[in-house]
Amino acid sequence: MVTTVGGAEKAAQARELGADLAIDYRTEDFTEHGPYDVILDVVGGDYLERNVDSLAVDGRLVVIGLQKGLDGRLNLADIVFKRASVHGTTLRTRSKEYKAEVVAEVQKNIWPMIESGAVRLVVDRTVPMADAAEGHRLMEAGGHLGKILLLNEDGA
């Protein structure tokens, strides 16, 4: 598995968690390490063309975020000649019933791996819900290693 990260410390952490290769997008070009069979893209925008260029034959690009915007350039010949596919998905527009199904599937299939330690959740810090703006500031600053969790008043 290959991942992109923002900084050497995050690269080291990703490798410790099991990544075969952690590419610091601030200093390296991930396209130099392809081709990739599957790319999960949380960035969007101008990454579209680079992602498609990096796909292997029969590769799949799944866009799951739009941090760099909605628009990107796409040469359809790159899709056709590689027999590649581009998919987009989000939970935001899904029904409550669908989201409940996803939660049930996670509980059934993923949670046991978390409980056994096969999958580790990395939490950088917790922030009280009343300080949510501070949590967002910390996230935008990008220095965290792991998730920043917002906690309710009861600590959940």
Side-chain angles (χ1 to χ4, degrees):
M1 181 201 42
V2 178
T3 188
T4 56
V5 296
E9 191 176 2
K10 289 184 180 184
Q13 181 185 40
R15 287 189 299 274
E16 178 185 313
L17 291 169
D20 298 310
L21 176 63
I23 302 167
D24 181 351
Y25 62 80
R26 295 175 182 165
T27 60
E28 289 184 80
D29 184 356
F30 70 90
T31 64
E32 295 175 8
H33 298 278
Y36 305 103
D37 295 319
V38 178
I39 297 174
L40 297 177
D41 178 17
V42 299
V43 178
D46 62 358
Y47 270 57
L48 176 62
E49 185 173 20
R50 293 169 58 203
N51 285 332
V52 171
D53 286 346
S54 299
L55 284 174
V57 172
D58 293 320
R60 297 176 308 270
L61 169 61
V62 183
V63 181
I64 59 175
L66 302 167
Q67 294 175 3
K68 287 196 126 196
L70 306 177
D71 297 321
R73 184 179 179 283
L74 179 61
N75 180 339
L76 293 175
D78 291 337
I79 300 291
V80 171
F81 295 134
K82 289 183 179 183
R83 298 184 311 270
S85 59
V86 178
H87 303 267
T89 190
T90 182
L91 283 174
R92 290 178 189 204
T93 58
R94 301 289 187 133
S95 69
K96 290 179 183 179
E97 294 78 16
Y98 181 87
K99 290 176 186 178
E101 289 175 26
V102 170
V103 169
E105 288 295 316
V106 167
Q107 287 174 325
K108 176 182 171 189
N109 298 306
I110 305 300
W111 206 254
M113 291 189 288
I114 294 169
E115 289 177 333
S116 74
V119 173
R120 279 185 25 210
L121 298 178
V122 179
V123 177
D124 182 82
R125 70 188 76 189
T126 59
V127 177
M129 189 66 74
D131 297 330
E134 174 65 8
H136 281 277
R137 188 196 65 72
L138 291 166
M139 188 173 65
E140 290 171 2
H144 57 287
L145 293 171
K147 298 297 180 188
I148 299 169
L149 302 180
L150 295 177
L151 298 180
N152 292 330
E153 291 177 19
D154 63 3

